Structure formats: structure tokens, C-alpha cells
Amino acid sequence: MLRYLAALIFLIATPLMATEEQVVLGMSQNRVAITANFDGSEILIFGAVKRETAIPEAHPLEVVVAVSGPKLPVVVRRKEKRLGIWVNTDSVEVDAAPSFYAVATSGPFKEIVKDIEDLRHKISIPRAIRSVGAPMDVKNAQEFSEAVARIRTDNGLYQVLENTVEVDQQTLFNTSVKLPANLTEGDYLTRIFLTRGGDVVSQYETTIDVRKVGLERWLFNLSRQQPLVYGLLSLAIAIAAGWGASAAFRFIRQGG
């Protein structure tokens, strides 16, 4: 009986402990419009920690901000040199890889987030990529997920921004995340984690809406809904551009 009573007390107390510190979040913008001349954007993320009790003294407060683009499957192929020629050999479909992923932290990631917490919440880049069910005959299947992370990091789509979250008096925090020009449309999940001693003590989630607008939206919809018309329009524009360039060149030669 005492054992069940203790378990009941624990279940009742756990939500109370989990909400001792809560995030009150703000962002400079929660919508990003992709236009014809879009060259990237910078999102300022700031917030405060709401408390019902005094600031805990055991461990300092740390903050982790993770921004994730839409998760899509991607096929990764391994190339090997055979008879002097590079050819595709093995291939693996990574089930879900964020099109964009940025992790900003108030300290070194390994020091402020325990591995078990990273595994539970999938905060780091390797944990954010989901790859299961690789063919049995493929060796070192994990290398394919690592290749996705490496390539997208080189392209600026994956970012690890350690020590970029400023925390003031364990109450206020702010950081900024740069979104590159080559963004994928969709909802960008933004997660805020408060940690103490490596343990996640609170979590908050919101989204950033990234959409094409204007001419970009019209062309995107046309390419999906009427691909034949889109192809003919692209051909007509290419011909007109070529003719215009040729006419301008002849005019310049005649003028000279």
C-alpha cells in the first residue's frame, strides 16, 4: 500500500516540478516570405523564464534553441572508384532529414545537455536525422546519415551555434538564427529547452511559417499544377531572352 501511495505522490508532484520554470517566448518575426529576390533572413529569438519560486541554486540555467525545417526523405548514394571511374555503388534512403537545422546554445553542447536528454528530445544534428531500415547488405549504414549532415553543414543548411545564446540573470535570454536563401517551404519547428546540470527542466515549442509569395508562389504553383504550361512558358522566356541579347549585341556592333 505504501509503495502505491509513494508512486501516486510522485506522479502528482512530477508535473509541478516540470513547470517550476516556464519559457515566455518572443520572436522578431514568425513568418518568412520567399520572394524573387530573397537572399536569406535573420530571426531574432528572445524570451524570459517565468517562475513561481526562487531561482534554483544547484546548477546555472542554460538555454538551447533548435530550429528545424520540414523533414523529408533523401536518398544518399556511395561512390567508389572502379577501373579509374567513379560509380555509384550502395544507396540508402534516409527516412527523415530536416531541410534546415540550427542549434544555438548558451554553452558547449556536450556540457549543458546530457546524452540521454539528447536521445530523448533529439536535439543535436545527428539525432535529428532519422534513418532506419537500411538494407542488410549495406555496410556502415550510419555513414549515409553522417554524409547528409556533412553536406548540408557545408552548404549552410545545418548549423551548430555554441555559446551564441545570451542568458541574463538566469531569466532573460536571446539569440539569432540566420536562415539561408535556399530555404524549403513549410513550418519551421522552433524548440526552446531550459537545462540545469544537463537535464531538461522545461521545453517550449512554436513554429515559423516559411512560404513563397508573389511571382515565386505563382511559378511554384504553376510548375506543380500545370507542368506543361510551365515548361512552355520557361521555353518562351528563354527564347525571348536569347533574342533580346542577340538584338542588343547587334545594336552595339552597328553603333560602333
Side-chain angles (χ1 to χ4, degrees):
M1 183 64 182
L2 290 176
R3 182 177 59 184
Y4 292 120
L5 181 59
L8 179 61
I9 293 174
F10 175 78
L11 290 174
I12 295 173
T14 297
L16 296 177
M17 291 186 293
T19 57
E20 283 184 357
E21 295 180 295
Q22 297 180 347
V23 175
V24 180
L25 186 69
M27 288 190 292
S28 58
Q29 60 187 97
N30 58 8
R31 187 173 185 272
V32 175
I34 301 178
T35 58
N37 59 352
F38 179 75
D39 61 354
S41 181
E42 185 173 21
I43 304 294
L44 174 62
I45 300 171
F46 54 92
V49 181
K50 178 183 177 182
R51 300 184 179 89
E52 300 295 337
T53 59
I55 298 176
E57 298 181 358
H59 299 283
L61 179 73
E62 303 288 355
V63 180
V64 180
V65 178
V67 181
S68 175
K71 290 189 175 183
L72 302 169
V74 57
V75 176
V76 184
R77 294 180 173 85
R78 176 183 287 154
K79 289 182 178 290
E80 293 183 2
K81 199 170 187 179
R82 295 181 178 177
L83 300 177
I85 302 175
W86 287 98
V87 296
N88 292 327
T89 54
D90 301 326
S91 66
V92 168
E93 182 179 75
V94 177
D95 302 270
S99 58
F100 171 85
Y101 199 80
V103 183
T105 66
S106 58
F109 185 89
K110 293 293 185 181
E111 295 181 12
I112 66 174
V113 179
K114 291 180 178 178
D115 190 64
I116 187 65
E117 296 284 18
D118 185 20
L119 179 62
R120 179 180 297 116
H121 298 282
K122 296 178 174 55
I123 306 172
S124 65
I125 290 175
R127 295 273 165 72
I129 300 174
R130 183 168 63 87
S131 181
V132 296
M136 296 296 294
D137 59 339
V138 175
K139 296 180 179 179
N140 302 321
Q142 182 60 30
E143 293 180 357
F144 291 83
S145 297
E146 294 172 355
V148 173
R150 182 175 64 254
I151 293 170
R152 292 187 174 180
T153 297
D154 293 340
N155 293 335
L157 292 172
Y158 286 2
Q159 307 170 15
V160 179
L161 311 169
E162 293 185 317
N163 300 299
T164 59
V165 180
E166 296 183 6
V167 181
D168 185 22
Q169 301 296 319
Q170 298 195 57
T171 301
L172 304 176
F173 64 87
N174 72 86
T175 189
S176 61
V177 175
K178 293 183 178 179
L179 304 178
N182 52 336
L183 287 179
T184 299
E185 265 195 312
D187 293 328
Y188 281 58
L189 177 64
T190 303
R191 298 180 295 164
I192 315 297
F193 298 94
L194 305 182
T195 71
R196 289 188 181 276
D199 294 317
V200 174
V201 297
S202 184
Q203 177 184 355
Y204 181 88
E205 293 185 3
T206 187
T207 58
I208 301 171
D209 184 32
V210 177
R211 305 290 171 188
K212 292 182 174 70
V213 297
L215 179 61
E216 286 288 307
R217 162 56 58 188
W218 182 77
L219 290 174
F220 178 81
N221 289 338
L222 186 65
S223 68
R224 295 297 187 273
Q225 298 170 6
Q226 302 183 51
L228 178 60
V229 176
Y230 176 79
L232 293 175
L233 179 62
S234 300
L235 180 61
I237 293 175
I239 294 174
W243 179 85
S246 177
F249 182 70
R250 287 197 305 270
F251 176 79
I252 292 174
R253 288 189 62 183
Q254 291 174 359

